[in-house]
Amino acid sequence: GVGNFFGMLPDSMADSRLYGVELDSITGRIAKKLYPQADITVAGFETTDRRDFYDLAVGNVPFGQYKVNDKAYNKLGFSIHNYFFAKTIDQIRPGGMIAFVTSRFTMDSKDSTARKYMAERADLLGAIRLPDNAFKANAGTEVVSDIIFLQKRDRPADIEPAWVQLGQTEDGFTLNSYFVDHPEMVLGEITTESTQYGKEECTVIPILDADLGDQLHEAVQHIG
């Protein structure tokens, strides 16, 4: 919102040209004041269109079942978090990368249409599943999120890597095949919890006394 990703930019990327998109006018205007050197659009993502432009896109995409009205993407019928992936893939250059925090349902939804669309256009470099308390202090929510790392291909390819489909762990939990094959990328213990609708949902609880920063540092070594 207010430009935290710019604020945490590594020294090695200090010379980057920065662009931001923020829907909320108050946080967007704060970001503009904090980072005057950045080109920040205070409007919805659907208003922007820079094809094959960026080398890197980093973000915390909105989660939800609702859709965004964007003429070029309406036909896909994607929910908002998957729409952000689809549009961003078009906006980065071939070879460029995406690192997005998203709901676990980008990877875990039964419907694999969005993952198939992404896999045709970008390679999955890796993904990290965060415990449900990762954003509790910051946003007050307990939700399982993933950080997904993608690299755009030169041209779309009609392929279906394993991560397009779901798999099952030895304990019988159904989740994305990538996390079944790479349990070290799940930063916590997979379990189930009852939702307010009485349904059993898969969740990830933190490991006692583990430092999430240390866990992330370790997990990132396996990306690429």
Side-chain angles (χ1 to χ4, degrees):
V2 296
N4 285 346
F5 288 112
F6 295 156
M8 303 300 280
L9 203 68
D11 292 343
S12 59
M13 292 176 66
D15 295 335
S16 304
R17 283 190 294 155
L18 304 176
Y19 298 81
V21 183
E22 172 55 47
L23 177 62
D24 184 84
S25 67
I26 294 174
T27 40
R29 293 202 308 272
I30 291 170
K32 274 176 169 285
K33 287 272 188 282
L34 290 174
Y35 304 99
Q37 79 283 20
D39 178 345
I40 297 171
T41 302
V42 184
F45 192 36
E46 67 276 11
T47 66
T48 69
D49 190 18
R50 290 187 171 106
R51 296 274 165 139
D52 298 324
F53 181 80
Y54 303 103
D55 296 309
L56 172 67
V58 180
N60 182 7
V61 303
F63 308 168
Q65 284 310 308
Y66 53 96
K67 297 178 172 63
V68 174
N69 182 20
D70 185 333
K71 226 179 290 172
Y73 297 90
N74 286 349
K75 62 183 183 299
L76 296 173
F78 288 169
S79 57
I80 188 164
H81 41 279
N82 293 333
Y83 156 76
F84 265 72
F85 276 94
K87 181 158 181 139
T88 304
I89 287 171
D90 286 341
Q91 295 206 10
I92 58 171
R93 294 175 183 152
M97 290 166 63
I98 296 173
F100 273 177
V101 180
T102 181
S103 147
R104 76 173 181 88
F105 293 107
T106 293
M107 292 292 270
D108 280 4
S109 63
K110 288 191 182 75
D111 183 349
S112 62
T113 312
R115 291 190 297 275
K116 184 160 175 50
Y117 179 93
M118 291 180 215
E120 286 170 356
R121 291 159 180 80
D123 294 313
L124 179 73
L125 299 176
I128 301 170
R129 178 146 294 178
L130 302 171
D132 63 6
N133 69 338
F135 294 104
K136 194 173 179 184
N138 188 280
T141 54
E142 289 200 28
V143 60
V144 176
S145 307
D146 294 332
I147 314 173
I148 299 179
F149 299 85
L150 298 171
Q151 185 167 32
K152 183 172 174 173
R153 273 211 197 83
D154 290 341
R155 61 186 68 84
D158 189 14
I159 59 162
E160 191 172 297
W163 71 274
V164 169
Q165 299 302 335
L166 305 183
Q168 208 167 45
T169 67
E170 287 175 5
D171 297 329
F173 298 116
T174 300
L175 62 160
N176 190 281
S177 294
Y178 176 83
F179 291 118
V180 175
D181 296 339
H182 299 90
E184 73 280 5
M185 303 305 269
V186 178
L187 306 188
E189 183 193 337
I190 302 168
T191 182
T192 55
E193 63 175 1
S194 296
T195 67
Q196 62 203 56
Y197 308 109
K199 233 170 65 180
E200 287 290 311
E201 277 283 0
C202 209
T203 190
V204 176
I205 55 173
I207 294 162
L208 204 61
D209 298 331
D211 181 281
L212 186 57
D214 293 342
Q215 287 180 286
L216 268 171
H217 184 75
E218 170 62 31
V220 167
Q221 312 305 314
H222 304 297
I223 302 292

